[in-house]
Amino acid sequence: NAGVTQTPKFRILKIGQSMTLQCTQDMNHNYMYWYRQDPGMGLKLIYYSVGAGITDKGEVPNGYNVSRSTTEDFPLRLELAAPSQTSVYFCASSADVQETQYFGPGTRLLVL
Amino acid sequence: GEDVEQSLFLSVREGDSSVINCTYTDSSSTYLYWYKQEPGAGLQLLTYIFSNMDMKQDQRLTVLLNKKDKHLSLRIADTQTGDSAIYFCAEIRNSGNTPLVFGKGTRLSVIA
């Protein structure tokens, strides 16, 4: 039981490039989340999903897209990377919205 | 206010007790959480309290909840150097587009 896994651990992008951050959970959780953490700040919710095929915007969705084709996977897509997207990205999952969220180890992204 | 508020820094001597405070916003929050983040790592659930409880104790950790003042605290007894980390308070919100809202985190430094 690996919990929540994220790849890659670290990536450098040039402005305008695109990439997909991968997130997988093996706990059969319905809910999955993407957060970003900027230095000295708490976590801001980007997108979340309540189940396969259903996604919703969080607090800071601009510049990102998500999809949820399976229960296990919740990839986050950056289409045109900007320096403002330099951050640490965390994926999380929970059995229900009121249940505890379990976090992945994070992906550190640097956009230059 | 809209934010979950925490003081940003706390410094204690090894062996002393640490108390980290948090003020949350949604009086209907059902669960309140404390997460711990060690350097370069993801968030780890430390403990949580259900809203119908005033106190929860788990080994060296004591959580106190004052619903009237919307105040949550985390007490760490006999603080050790391994407790040095950032501690995030989080609340479940029943409205808006962000199910779980985090404070900015309190950086605990333990001096040997």
Side-chain angles (χ1 to χ4, degrees):
Chain A
N1 188 333
V4 180
T5 56
Q6 292 183 237
T7 57
K9 285 189 169 56
F10 177 67
R11 182 79 182 267
I12 300 174
L13 281 183
K14 293 183 180 176
I15 294 171
Q17 284 186 319
S18 61
M19 77 165 291
T20 299
L21 283 68
Q22 301 291 346
C23 174
T24 301
Q25 54 93 8
D26 62 1
M27 297 174 279
N28 202 33
H29 284 168
N30 287 323
Y31 284 73
M32 296 188 74
Y33 313 83
W34 274 106
Y35 295 90
R36 60 177 286 172
Q37 184 182 29
D38 298 321
M41 302 292 288
L43 277 71
K44 299 288 187 184
L45 184 67
I46 305 171
Y47 270 96
Y48 68 103
S49 169
V50 305
I54 307 169
T55 62
D56 276 303
K57 293 179 180 178
E59 191 179 353
V60 290
N62 292 342
Y64 307 95
N65 278 300
V66 292
S67 59
R68 184 96 182 269
S69 55
T70 66
T71 300
E72 295 78 20
D73 300 306
F74 190 41
L76 177 72
R77 179 103 180 136
L78 283 72
E79 289 294 349
L80 289 169
S84 61
Q85 293 177 305
T86 292
S87 191
V88 182
Y89 291 84
F90 290 101
C91 179
S93 73
S94 65
D96 201 340
V97 68
Q98 301 278 343
E99 297 288 331
T100 301
Q101 292 188 19
Y102 295 90
F103 284 79
T107 293
R108 190 173 296 272
L109 177 66
L110 181 59
V111 182
L112 299 173
Chain B
E2 293 292 321
D3 292 340
V4 175
E5 301 283 348
Q6 298 179 242
S7 53
L8 294 181
F9 300 100
L10 177 65
S11 182
V12 299
R13 294 201 175 276
E14 193 174 19
D16 287 351
S17 292
S18 308
V19 179
I20 302 171
N21 294 303
C22 170
T23 303
Y24 61 98
T25 63
D26 188 346
S27 58
S28 64
S29 289
T30 50
Y31 287 96
L32 295 132
Y33 297 89
W34 285 104
Y35 281 87
K36 177 182 180 182
Q37 185 181 33
E38 294 180 352
L43 274 72
Q44 170 195 355
L45 178 68
L46 203 57
T47 187
Y48 66 92
I49 189 166
F50 190 53
S51 60
N52 68 353
M53 298 168 68
D54 297 325
M55 184 180 87
K56 180 179 180 181
Q57 187 146 6
D58 183 2
Q59 298 182 338
R60 292 191 297 122
L61 304 177
T62 303
V63 179
L64 295 177
L65 176 61
N66 180 331
K67 284 191 71 176
K68 175 176 167 291
D69 294 337
K70 290 185 236 170
H71 184 263
L72 183 73
S73 68
L74 173 69
R75 180 177 180 269
I76 306 172
D78 187 25
T79 312
Q80 302 297 307
T81 54
D83 295 324
S84 293
I86 302 176
Y87 291 81
F88 291 94
C89 167
E91 65 167 339
I92 292 280
R93 288 237 176 117
N94 293 307
S95 60
N97 59 357
T98 306
L100 188 65
V101 178
F102 289 84
K104 290 186 170 61
T106 299
R107 184 179 294 275
L108 174 64
S109 297
V110 182
I111 306 162

